Amino acid sequence: MAGGSATVRGVVVLGVREWLERTHGESAPAVLESLPPSARDLVAGRALIQTTRVSASAFRALGDAIIDRWGLEGPGGYRSAAAYVAESDLSGYMKVLMKLGTPGFVLRRFPRVWRHYFDTGQLSVETEGAGAEVEIIGAQAYGAAALEGAAGWMTKGLELSGASGSSVIRSGPDSRARYRLSWT
């Protein structure tokens, strides 16, 4: 799929917008104002409520604006936005499965999570004791919005499954992003 036709589930953008409002309060509108007009209208407009899919370019513009303003790490960083989306979008049934499952159980479901949100790219997982290697290929259309966001929702998934001291370290180019996950 070409970069222009790649999409993301609209619920992700709604979750990021809610996270912005809850975490950054008064400064959240400044991020929305910094977006290109087409992305701003999509993200801030009422039309998003009716949108089931959002273009990768609009999603990427929102993620890039947040990363530029607040970075990746910390409670106000982009990875925490992705973690918020991961937890807020889970249904009660999935929350129960994640809390009952082991980290390995949860990790084996990450490819399904990727396909749930993104229609381009592929995520694969190799578990190994209290660690795993995750690879995302073919997702360049989404940029850091998805590739760094994945680190946020992987961390939240591990946390929900009872892992403590979890760490997610990304390496590799956007065309073949690799993540080393560990936990205790």
Side-chain angles (χ1 to χ4, degrees):
M1 201 175 270
S5 61
T7 64
V8 179
R9 286 192 64 219
V11 69
V12 174
V13 178
L14 286 171
V16 171
R17 185 170 72 186
E18 184 178 305
W19 171 86
L20 273 169
E21 292 165 353
R22 289 179 180 222
T23 306
H24 294 289
E26 293 179 12
S27 59
V31 171
L32 295 177
E33 273 305 308
S34 71
L35 295 173
S38 61
R40 183 180 335 118
D41 292 345
L42 176 67
V43 174
R46 304 266 316 145
L48 179 60
I49 291 159
Q50 304 299 322
T51 304
T52 57
R53 304 295 296 184
V54 174
S55 73
S57 60
F59 172 69
R60 187 176 188 158
L62 176 62
D64 288 350
I66 293 170
I67 292 166
D68 288 347
R69 187 167 182 117
W70 291 297
L72 295 173
E73 300 295 341
Y78 186 71
R79 287 183 179 180
S80 70
Y84 180 88
V85 170
E87 187 170 19
S88 69
D89 189 41
L90 290 173
S91 67
Y93 170 73
M94 282 303 295
K95 280 185 183 175
V96 169
L97 279 180
M98 292 195 66
K99 289 181 180 182
L100 293 176
T102 64
F105 171 87
V106 170
L107 283 166
R108 286 189 296 278
R109 273 122 192 102
F110 280 177
R112 289 185 197 157
V113 172
W114 180 270
R115 288 189 306 272
H116 175 72
Y117 291 113
F118 304 102
D119 60 10
T120 299
Q122 182 179 358
L123 184 147
S124 60
V125 177
E126 272 189 51
T127 58
E128 45 194 58
E133 296 286 334
V134 175
E135 183 175 67
I136 300 174
I137 58 171
Q140 302 90 301
Y142 305 114
L147 298 174
E148 293 296 345
W153 56 260
M154 284 185 237
T155 301
K156 181 52 91 175
L158 289 170
E159 178 186 303
L160 288 172
S161 69
S164 60
S166 60
S167 169
V168 177
I169 300 170
R170 180 180 170 216
S171 63
D174 287 357
S175 62
R176 193 173 206 93
R178 295 175 186 220
Y179 305 81
R180 176 73 189 133
L181 285 64
S182 61
W183 62 90
T184 55

